[in-house]
Amino acid sequence: MDLLSVLERPREVGIAIVSFSLLGYLSIRALRRDEESNKTYPLPPGPPRDPLIGSVRYFPSSQLWKSFCKWQDSYGDIVHAQLPGVSFVMLNTYEACQDLLSKRATTTSGRDVSYMLTDMVGNHDYHVEQITKDFMLDLAKFQGYVPQPVQSVMSRLIVEITYGKEVFEKTGKELSTVNHEAIQLVQTGLFNFWFVNIFHFLRFIPSWVPGATFKRIGERATQLSKFMRYTPFGMATELHGTGCLSHCLTSELLDEFGPDNDLRDALGMLYQAGVDSTSGAISAYLYALLLFPEVAERIYSEIHQVTQGQRLLRITDRSSLPYTEAVWKEAIRWNPFFTLGVPHVNSQEEVVHGFRIPKGSVIMQNIGFMLTDPKVWGDPDVFRPERFLSKCPPGADPNLPDPMNIVFGFGSRICPGMYLADRAGFHIAATTVSLFHVQPLKGEPRPDPATVEYTDMPMRQPVNFSARFTPRDQQAEYLLKTLSLEK
């Protein structure tokens, strides 16, 4: 039917116009009614607000986790703070995070996790086991600050699994340095007050102007992000085209999908998120073994029943190691290395637990409190892996959440490095226990768990976590010699 024939039937045209107009009017009324009904719900309680600057005077500038825990004690499980140009919401319970971030992921997240970063990680177990063997040889000769070699091996593992061995050999060290700087800039940008949040026109001033630190941070962060997204992927794509790229995630996905911007960004995020999350989990586990040698001995006994000391652990042995698994969870929970989750932003106004969450709010998760909440854990200051094996302590929640599910995020913004962190991290940590005693440096006392200190950063590390790794027995020495010969 052409336009002329339609215009020759004015009655039908008029009815259609009225119908569509009425439908649009009713839709708008319904949306406004929903918005107005949400206004009847109060904002979550929070610190006092001053004119123009909101709650800036009460926003912590240091010891963020401890300060936000005090907010929870004063204001409850959901806290709201009005910052200049930003509505800030802190979620302090696992239930609130699940209800707002996981169950409403389409409106509270900006990223999706595809199967390529979950199901396909298992295809690289052999690679994880080989790099773990190299790391064991390194530990046999190492003594000093433990998080450093842990981060190095995880950087190598993730680059090689993601982009291939050839890319790591060319740019691995540079990627590690760039990633570390990028994380520092993100922490600086997120947890400081910037006048540009009040006076938006400041974003147009040149970066060389005195006081334009925010501008320089933004420009540098953009440069680093582009390097991590484009450089390794570009190298891997070029090598793949010439048939010179070894087996890795990039080669598999290029074979299946071809070069793609979403693929490039997803792989870049896997590296950026995976290195620090995995190395943090491994360091927490090894530190627990240094603090609690009796726990390490029990782990070793369980592993020995599986391997008889005749071989190294395999990734497939994990299901036979329930106590080792419980220690893995407890090490992540006790004195958590991640205290604050990745910020979410909601694309529409939401109501959760009777409180209104304004559209465009920055929604944070108080991971540190969730993992140490006495109402959930009963005795959160006690390192007790048995809580994941048997009956919960009196007064605690009988359905304990998995610490991995808390630390690595909620909804569609779940950390894409979670699956690799859990699989590779557990294997590296457990293999270390099977071969080595984790001991203080010669002449140094074993740290007292009651007095240990951690760095004041969202990604926490034990202060002065130095140790040495000595082979457990002659069987361990024999396995290490065999690895050296194989290499």
Side-chain angles (χ1 to χ4, degrees):
M1 184 181 294
D2 59 24
L3 179 61
L4 183 60
S5 60
V6 170
L7 294 177
E8 289 175 349
R9 303 169 65 182
R11 182 171 179 274
E12 287 81 354
V13 173
I15 292 174
I17 292 174
V18 171
S19 299
F20 281 114
S21 299
L22 180 60
L23 180 61
Y25 171 75
L26 293 175
S27 300
I28 293 172
R29 282 290 303 271
L31 289 172
R32 288 180 176 175
R33 193 184 310 116
D34 289 341
E35 291 178 357
E36 291 171 0
S37 65
N38 285 348
K39 301 295 184 185
T40 63
Y41 292 95
L43 290 170
R49 286 184 285 178
D50 297 323
L52 187 62
I53 63 172
S55 303
V56 165
R57 290 197 299 126
Y58 306 94
F59 201 84
S61 58
S62 63
Q63 305 229 330
L64 297 179
W65 172 40
K66 293 181 179 179
S67 299
F68 289 138
C69 286
K70 291 179 181 178
W71 279 16
Q72 190 280 334
D73 188 54
S74 299
Y75 305 115
D77 293 339
I78 303 178
V79 180
H80 174 266
Q82 187 61 52
L83 303 178
V86 178
S87 179
F88 179 90
V89 175
M90 178 63 74
L91 304 179
N92 293 302
T93 67
Y94 182 70
E95 293 74 20
C97 290
Q98 288 287 82
D99 291 341
L100 182 59
L101 304 180
S102 295
K103 296 179 181 178
R104 310 179 202 185
T106 56
T107 61
T108 59
S109 303
R111 183 178 74 235
D112 190 17
V113 178
S114 64
Y115 88 96
M116 68 181 67
L117 301 184
T118 57
D119 295 345
M120 297 188 73
V121 170
N123 296 338
H124 298 265
D125 285 353
Y126 174 77
H127 203 151
V128 172
E129 291 175 348
Q130 291 302 114
I131 291 181
T132 299
K133 292 176 182 179
D134 291 344
F135 184 53
M136 295 303 106
L137 293 174
D138 292 339
L139 287 183
K141 299 175 289 186
F142 174 82
Q143 57 178 337
Y145 184 62
V146 176
Q148 186 173 10
V150 170
Q151 187 156 27
S152 295
V153 72
M154 285 315 307
S155 178
R156 174 192 167 188
L157 189 150
I158 293 178
V159 172
E160 290 193 12
I161 286 180
T162 305
Y163 298 111
K165 183 178 181 179
E166 300 81 7
V167 172
F168 175 77
E169 292 173 349
K170 289 183 177 181
T171 189
K173 291 184 178 180
E174 187 176 8
L175 270 173
S176 180
T177 301
V178 167
N179 186 53
H180 180 74
E181 182 183 353
I183 289 173
Q184 299 300 317
L185 290 179
V186 168
Q187 292 176 346
T188 301
L190 281 176
F191 301 108
N192 283 279
F193 167 69
W194 306 101
F195 275 106
V196 70
N197 290 333
I198 302 178
F199 307 109
H200 300 306
F201 66 87
L202 291 176
R203 69 183 186 275
F204 298 112
I205 66 174
S207 58
W208 52 263
V209 173
T213 305
F214 69 92
K215 191 84 172 183
R216 292 188 286 274
I217 289 175
E219 290 178 353
R220 181 57 178 164
T222 299
Q223 292 173 358
L224 298 177
S225 177
K226 286 183 177 180
F227 178 87
M228 288 186 288
R229 286 165 54 209
Y230 288 89
T231 302
F233 184 74
M235 287 183 179
T237 302
E238 184 177 345
L239 289 166
H240 181 265
T242 60
C244 298
L245 184 64
S246 58
H247 180 225
C248 61
L249 279 173
T250 301
S251 65
E252 293 178 15
L253 295 169
L254 285 175
D255 287 340
E256 186 168 353
F257 301 109
D260 180 82
N261 290 343
D262 291 337
L263 169 60
R264 177 201 64 206
D265 293 344
L267 292 171
M269 187 56 63
L270 174 61
Y271 173 76
Q272 294 175 53
V275 172
D276 288 277
S277 58
T278 314
S279 60
I282 296 172
S283 294
Y285 193 92
L286 298 180
Y287 194 51
L289 303 182
L290 176 65
L291 297 177
F292 307 104
E294 69 282 0
V295 172
E297 291 309 309
R298 185 171 171 183
I299 295 172
Y300 172 72
S301 178
E302 181 178 69
I303 293 174
H304 194 271
Q305 291 179 6
V306 175
T307 66
Q308 300 300 311
Q310 301 301 311
R311 62 172 176 85
L312 291 178
L313 272 176
R314 304 187 186 103
I315 289 179
T316 53
D317 292 327
R318 183 172 184 172
S319 60
S320 302
L321 304 171
Y323 183 75
T324 309
E325 180 83 44
V327 175
W328 175 248
K329 292 180 179 180
E330 182 72 344
I332 291 171
R333 185 206 67 79
W334 187 76
N335 272 314
F337 58 93
F338 272 156
T339 56
L340 299 173
V342 177
H344 292 233
V345 176
N346 53 320
S347 59
Q348 68 182 36
E349 190 170 83
E350 300 285 356
V351 175
V352 61
H353 295 192
F355 293 115
R356 178 167 58 89
I357 310 299
K359 176 182 177 180
S361 295
V362 174
I363 305 170
M364 297 288 292
Q365 312 98 61
N366 192 346
I367 290 173
F369 180 78
M370 293 180 217
L371 294 173
T372 56
D373 184 354
K375 291 184 294 185
V376 176
W377 306 101
D379 52 357
D381 295 332
V382 177
F383 188 87
R384 192 165 62 79
E386 293 79 7
R387 74 178 74 246
F388 293 106
L389 291 175
S390 59
K391 199 173 181 180
C392 296
D397 187 341
N399 300 310
L400 292 177
D402 186 339
M404 289 290 290
N405 293 336
I406 296 176
V407 167
F408 289 95
F410 299 88
S412 295
R413 291 195 68 82
I414 190 171
C415 172
M418 171 181 173
Y419 306 96
L420 186 57
D422 185 47
R423 200 171 190 88
F426 178 89
H427 182 68
I428 290 173
T431 303
T432 302
V433 190
S434 72
L435 294 174
F436 299 105
H437 292 288
V438 184
Q439 297 179 317
L441 299 179
K442 288 185 178 180
E444 296 290 332
R446 193 176 294 274
D448 180 1
T451 61
V452 295
E453 297 181 358
Y454 289 77
T455 56
D456 180 24
M457 297 292 288
M459 174 72 179
R460 303 196 313 159
Q461 292 280 11
V463 175
N464 298 325
F465 175 22
S466 295
R468 57 194 173 99
F469 299 83
T470 58
R472 285 188 165 274
D473 49 32
Q474 290 184 343
Q475 288 177 312
E477 290 180 347
Y478 173 77
L479 288 173
L480 289 168
K481 289 178 180 179
T482 302
L483 289 180
S484 181
L485 292 173
E486 289 176 354
K487 188 175 182 180

